[in-house]
Each structure stands twice: as C-alpha cells, then as structure tokens.
Amino acid sequence: MPVIAIIGAQWGDEGKGKVVDLLAERARVVVRFSGGDNAGHTVVNPYGEFRLHLIPSGIFYPQVVCIIGNGVVVNPKVLIDEMAQLNQRGIDTSRLFISDRANLIMPYHVLLDGLEEELRGGKALGTTRKGIGPAFADKTARLGIRVGDLLDKEALVERLRFILDYKNVILTKVYGVSPLSLDEIYSQYCQYGERLAPHIRETTIMLEEALAKDELVILEGAQGTLLDPDFGTYPYTTSSSPLAGGGCLGAGLGPTGISRVLGVFKAYCTRVGSGPLPTELKDETGNLIRERAHEYGTTTGRPRRCGWFDAVAARFSTRINGFTGAAITRLDVLDTLPRLKICVGYKLDGKTIDYFPGNVASLERCQPVYEELPGWQSPTSDIRDYEQLPIDAQQYVARLEELISCPVNIISVGAEREQTIHKMPIF
Ligand code: IMP
C-alpha cells in the first residue's frame, strides 16, 4: 500500500479534512505533519460535524492510528480540549500519538504572536494569533521546548527557566508588558504532560511498522502551498511547509516513501489573512460565493476573501508538490453562477506572464488574464457520477484538469462524505 500525501494546493481551507476523512477508511495511519492549531479541518460524517485543529481527520475510524508528527507545533491545552470534546461525543482518542520531537506552543508564543502583529500595524500578516510563527521561530533558533520534554519534569523546569528569562526580557523591555511566571507555566505544563504522557511516542517507528506491513499511510497536510514560507506569498505566509516535501520532514519519512501526492483545490480560490490574491473578487460575485459557501475561517471566524480559480498559481502548486492527482472541492458552490472565469495568465507591467512571481510586490501588481466559461446553473450536490454532471460542469472540470496538469481523481459537491464523485481511482 502506498503513502499518500494530501496537500492543500492553494491558500488553505481547500477541504483537505473531508478528503482525508474519505480516504482514511482504507488507511492504517494518518499523520499531521506541519502547522499547529492555526489549521481548522471541518469533517462531516455519520457522527456529526467536527472542527479539528490538531487531531488528524482519521480519528473517526477505529482502525486508524493518528499521529501528530514532529513537524507540528503543539499547544497542549488545545490538544487536550480537542481530545475531551471528541471523547464527549463518543470518539475514542486512545489511538492518538504525538511525536516526542514536536515543539510545544508556550504561553509566550501566543502572547508574542499578538504583540508582533500589533507592532506591524498596517503591515500585519493577519496571523491566526495562535503562537505559530513565534513557536517555529524558536524551534529554528533552538529555543524550543519539545513534547518529549514534558516527560522529564526536572529537565523541563531547567529548560523553561532558561528560556523564560530570555522571553521575559523581550516581553518587559521591548513590549512593556508584564513578565510571565515560571511557576505557573511549569505547573500547568506538568499537568499537560501527565495527561498526554500515554500518547507521547517515537512516532517514526510506528510509521516504519505500518510500511513494513504494507499498510496505507496518509500524510495530512495543513494550510496550503501558497502559504509556504519558501514558495508562498512571503512574508504573507505561515511558518512551516505545507508542501509534500514538508510531509517527509514533518512525519519522519524519506522522500522515496511517498508514492502519491493528491493536491486539493477548491473550484475557486479563497484566502484568509493579508497578502496578494490575484483573482480576488471584491464585488457581488465574491460576496455571493462567500455566503453560499459560508467562507468564514474555521479557526478564527474571519470572512475569507474569495476569487476565481487561479490556474497560474495552481500549475505552480503542481510543479513544486509533484501532484500525481487532484481533488476539486466545492464545485456545487458555483452551481448558480451564469458565467465562470479562470485565470490563465497575469499581466505584469504591460507583459503577459504565465508563472507565479516569487516577489510579493510583483504579484500585487499582477492583473489576472481570464478565460470565460458558461456556468451550468443547476444543482450538482446530489450527483455521484461524473457523466451525470451538467456538460458545462464537466467542461469546467476538464479545463481545470488540463490547466493544472494532473488528473482529477475526486470531485466534492457537498460537505457530507457521500457527496463525492470518484472520477478516477487514486490507487
Ligand atoms: P499563522 O499561520 O497563524 O502564522 O498565520 C499566517 C497566515 O497563514 C495568515 O494569513 C493566516 O490566515 C494563514 N493561515 C494559517 N493557517 C491557515 C489555515 O489553516 N487556513 C488558511 N489560512 C491559514
């Protein structure tokens, strides 16, 4: 059985949770490999509707082992609350494991995320303020505290004292806010450690065992390709890599281990937070898409910016992820529109270009070049076979397939598991 990476191909919120939930039925292991509780994966299944921030979307299947990989930054309070909420609704979380190498989100990370955003003023990144950027910065600066550190209280207090002294200088001298208390954080994190201890593991061994038995492993992406700190709209990005390559590092798997990479694209584009979105619709059509699709952030509740499908960005996404297939989600959202546009190039300083510029100032000057297609103006949510889709909907999907240069395996026409068209088998 292969390892399949499910990757957000745009700016996040593409509907990866639903796709993972669908495929996890056949899986043995599902691993979250990047981001933190900035992610919000909505899953609608026979147990109800769930909004997951940290726990992999495979948790609803009793045979699936769920792993929070080393590449994730973990806010233990959020994780414990999320586990409790699932338990209250009858979902077992005893099969959830957290890499001992994952870095922890500490109270000063959350505080600094907000303070840094305030300081940026008009140039704020629009972060989720969950402490993600500061936690990844500390990981790279080697000032992080890891999940495994929770298991050794003496070492934890020493490490925390050393780091907190440093953080308190920044909090008090740079930002003029009150210092944080070592005792409070220490006792809080000891409690978290006691609660999480049975779930903390060397998770790469678990992956190796699954692969040795030829069991299906899913790498569950968070955020989207265009929020990647290297390839996204830097600096308006997140702080860890949502790419398939990030899946290797964040789960602890060699590049040869991944055999399928499924890019998840919405049938249009959305973005939450600041930064360029070349096809953004600041008009009635944008509002219509937002309201019809309820495009509001799962994590922050912020309205998402909506726009036409951007095939320039999509092709870039295919190139840097090596997609072997695609899922097109929320096709039904476009059901009522009389005409649809797809961005097939950008006009930049008088020239037409067909690539996604690396420089955010250039990208902000890009004007989309559109191709227009007729809308189908009929409901698609109850359709299960590709051939049953209105011909104009088939042509829209076929054009996307051509432009993004990889086969479409799955089309989603609603939030429920069964509101899915399996156009072409993935395996
Ligand atoms: P951060 O990841 O909280 O630092 O936020 C950085 C940027 O990434 C902001 O524009 C966020 O809105 C965006 N972002 C982070 N996580 C998600 C997500 O799961 N979906 C969509 N956007 C996200």
Side-chain angles (χ1 to χ4, degrees):
M1 277 294 228
V3 176
I4 179 164
I6 312 288
I7 302 297
Q10 296 156 316
W11 281 273
D13 309 315
E14 297 91 350
K16 296 175 288 292
K18 169 171 171 176
V19 176
V20 173
D21 181 62
L22 267 178
L23 300 181
E25 191 175 12
R26 302 167 59 181
R28 175 68 180 148
V29 183
V30 178
V31 195
R32 257 291 298 274
F33 63 79
S34 68
D37 61 302
N38 50 349
H41 293 170
T42 306
V43 178
V44 183
N45 60 28
Y47 305 104
E49 181 171 333
F50 298 86
R51 289 165 203 279
L52 301 173
H53 298 285
L54 274 169
I55 298 180
S57 308
I59 198 72
F60 303 101
Y61 293 98
Q63 87 285 2
V64 173
V65 169
C66 287
I67 295 177
I68 297 179
N70 54 281
V72 177
V73 284
V74 179
N75 183 325
K77 179 174 185 330
V78 173
L79 178 58
I80 291 166
D81 288 350
E82 201 164 296
M83 288 164 75
Q85 279 164 22
L86 287 174
N87 296 156
Q88 271 164 19
R89 294 174 69 182
I91 311 296
D92 171 31
T93 52
S94 63
R95 300 157 286 108
L96 172 69
F97 298 100
I98 311 146
S99 164
D100 54 356
R101 291 182 168 88
N103 272 243
L104 288 164
I105 294 188
M106 305 299 292
Y108 43 83
H109 292 137
V110 180
L111 193 58
L112 284 165
D113 200 356
L115 292 167
E116 287 168 3
E117 278 289 86
E118 300 298 330
L119 199 64
R120 288 183 196 116
K123 294 205 173 345
L125 305 176
T127 74
T128 57
R129 300 192 179 213
K130 302 286 180 190
I132 307 299
F136 278 114
D138 272 358
K139 173 179 175 177
T140 307
R142 289 143 300 171
L143 281 175
I145 301 179
R146 310 210 291 186
V147 168
D149 296 335
L150 295 173
L151 301 177
D152 180 345
K153 290 184 182 175
E154 274 175 35
L156 175 66
V157 75
E158 282 317 305
R159 180 94 180 132
L160 183 59
R161 180 176 291 117
F162 166 71
I163 293 170
L164 195 60
D165 279 350
Y166 171 87
K167 294 291 169 188
N168 275 338
V169 172
I170 296 173
L171 288 173
T172 55
K173 303 238 160 86
V174 177
Y175 292 102
V177 299
S178 306
L180 297 176
S181 148
L182 172 69
D183 289 347
E184 270 177 35
I185 301 180
Y186 175 63
S187 78
Q188 230 175 26
Y189 275 67
C190 283
Q191 284 174 30
Y192 298 150
E194 282 161 21
R195 170 68 185 89
L196 293 176
H199 300 270
I200 301 173
R201 292 287 162 87
E202 208 304 10
T203 50
T204 62
I205 295 174
M206 303 171 80
L207 269 186
E208 186 184 37
E209 282 169 3
L211 294 180
K213 289 190 203 139
D214 211 20
E215 293 170 326
L216 176 63
V217 173
I218 295 178
L219 303 184
E220 176 173 357
Q223 289 83 46
T225 295
L226 302 169
L227 292 173
D228 179 81
D230 284 272
F231 293 103
T233 54
Y234 189 85
Y236 299 99
T237 62
T238 191
S239 303
S240 62
S241 177
L243 304 183
C248 295
L249 291 175
L253 192 73
T256 49
I258 300 185
S259 45
R260 302 273 199 291
V261 185
L262 188 76
V264 185
F265 295 85
K266 244 179 221 177
Y268 48 94
C269 280
T270 63
R271 172 167 201 162
V272 61
S274 318
L277 178 65
T279 60
E280 183 166 8
L281 287 163
K282 294 180 179 164
D283 60 5
E284 257 325 291
T285 310
N287 293 340
L288 200 135
I289 292 176
R290 183 177 312 104
E291 295 315 315
R292 184 165 159 79
H294 196 70
E295 290 289 2
Y296 291 87
T298 313
T299 302
T300 57
R302 291 178 290 178
R304 294 182 186 138
R305 299 153 61 194
C306 300
W308 295 119
F309 189 90
D310 185 337
V312 180
R315 220 170 22 236
F316 174 59
S317 193
T318 303
R319 178 169 359 117
I320 60 180
N321 281 295
F323 293 142
T324 55
I328 305 286
T329 62
R330 308 205 116 189
L331 186 72
D332 55 300
V333 169
L334 305 179
D335 283 353
T336 58
L337 297 176
R339 297 205 61 79
L340 303 171
K341 291 185 185 178
I342 302 175
C343 168
V344 292
Y346 299 140
K347 268 251 184 290
L348 175 62
D349 303 333
K351 288 193 192 129
T352 303
I353 59 167
D354 64 356
Y355 62 89
F356 193 76
N359 173 311
V360 85
S362 304
L363 195 58
E364 261 156 5
R365 291 201 307 283
C366 283
Q367 294 300 317
V369 176
Y370 285 121
E371 193 173 282
E372 273 199 43
L373 276 81
W376 45 94
Q377 294 191 281
S378 64
T380 54
S381 288
D382 293 331
I383 295 174
R384 302 289 173 264
D385 296 315
Y386 184 67
E387 286 70 29
Q388 301 298 314
L389 278 175
I391 194 73
D392 288 325
Q394 289 187 33
Q395 272 166 7
Y396 184 72
V397 172
R399 185 65 182 131
L400 296 190
E401 193 165 39
E402 194 171 54
L403 287 165
I404 64 183
S405 339
C406 73
V408 171
N409 300 111
I410 291 174
I411 301 165
S412 170
V413 288
E416 311 269 340
R417 253 182 211 169
E418 58 276 12
Q419 290 181 303
T420 306
I421 296 169
H422 295 276
K423 182 170 179 285
M424 187 192 283
I426 297 176
F427 303 108

